Amino acid sequence: MNRSWTKHKGSAAPLYRKDIDTDQILPKQFMKKVERTGFGVHLFHNWRYLDEDGRTPDPKFVLNRPRYSRASVLVAGENFGCGSSREHAPWALADFGFRVIVAPSFADIFFGNCPKNGIALVRLSQEEVEEILAFVEGNEGAELEADLDALVLIAGGKKYEFFLPESALGRIQKGWDDVDLTMKYDSKIQEFESVLENAVL
């Protein structure tokens, strides 16, 4: 899965609830794999389906409505991603196709896990998020555009400035996870190991 991007424009879905935790994003019974793919089908499982097996979608849940089913931008409530530190939650969001999440606040560990999975977390004021929410709900097919170079989110022709640290921007724009960041220093690691090996000998 290609995680790298600098500009993203996509349809948006509203899920404006407070304190959506990682177990609601991806329930623990689906955390049996170590690879990142295949989790999207279980995203928001307990809200998205009427049965435990995930065979009967709940037509009332936002992502099951036709106008939001292909969303790649999520507009959420405060403290999104709270709960346990599991990285499986960002894996599920990314596998579903989300690239941007807009909310008034995010849990700290979740904020650190998302960029390594190609997801930009756009933190705006409560008033700004509610303004964007009204735009999304009031305009079928509404799209939001995130520009990581300019650090702006565009909704309905209006620009909203946000901040992401350089480390997060680098991860998203280059598609780097922790392993990729380590491999940047592959030559130095090999050089150190060679010196260490000679010293031991």
Side-chain angles (χ1 to χ4, degrees):
M1 179 178 64
N2 182 16
R3 301 184 300 270
S4 62
W5 61 273
T6 295
K7 291 184 180 181
H8 177 79
K9 185 175 184 180
S11 59
L15 190 58
Y16 199 61
R17 306 183 190 186
K18 294 171 60 175
D19 303 319
I20 296 177
D21 65 34
T22 51
D23 195 52
Q24 291 164 328
I25 295 171
L26 183 72
K28 59 184 177 299
Q29 65 266 32
F30 302 112
M31 295 169 47
K32 298 176 181 178
K33 300 190 301 179
V34 293
E35 63 271 19
R36 303 181 187 190
T37 58
F39 290 103
V41 68
H42 303 302
L43 179 68
F44 300 120
H45 182 92
N46 295 337
W47 296 339
R48 199 166 151 199
Y49 301 103
L50 295 172
D51 62 318
E52 291 185 5
D53 295 331
R55 296 178 181 176
T56 308
D58 183 347
K60 296 180 181 178
F61 184 63
V62 60
L63 295 183
N64 293 332
R65 300 176 197 169
R67 66 181 286 185
Y68 299 126
S69 62
R70 296 182 179 275
S72 59
V73 181
L74 188 66
V75 183
E78 62 186 84
N79 200 29
F80 187 87
C82 57
S84 73
S85 60
R86 64 187 65 162
E87 194 175 338
H88 295 71
W91 289 359
L93 288 159
D95 192 58
F96 183 88
F98 283 112
R99 294 294 173 267
V100 180
I101 302 175
V102 183
S105 59
F106 300 93
D108 288 342
I109 296 176
F110 182 80
F111 193 90
N113 282 336
C114 278
K116 66 181 77 171
N117 291 284
I119 301 173
L121 301 185
V122 176
R123 185 162 39 200
L124 300 173
S125 69
Q126 188 95 23
E127 294 74 17
E128 289 173 321
V129 174
E130 290 177 358
E131 188 173 63
I132 292 170
L133 184 73
F135 166 71
V136 169
E137 292 180 328
N139 297 274
E140 186 165 353
E143 292 185 319
L144 304 185
E145 181 176 357
D147 185 335
L148 299 185
D149 283 335
L151 287 177
V152 296
L153 180 77
I154 303 172
K158 184 173 179 178
K159 293 183 177 181
Y160 300 84
E161 296 182 356
F162 64 93
F163 171 78
L164 278 176
E166 286 293 331
S167 57
L169 289 172
R171 285 180 180 272
I172 298 169
Q173 291 176 315
K174 294 180 173 64
W176 286 342
D177 60 14
D178 289 340
V179 174
D180 296 316
L181 285 174
T182 301
M183 294 309 296
K184 279 177 56 184
Y185 303 99
D186 182 52
S187 61
K188 292 185 177 180
I189 293 171
Q190 291 187 36
E191 181 182 341
F192 173 80
E193 289 180 342
S194 177
V195 171
L196 184 62
E197 182 180 350
N198 290 334
V200 171
L201 294 175

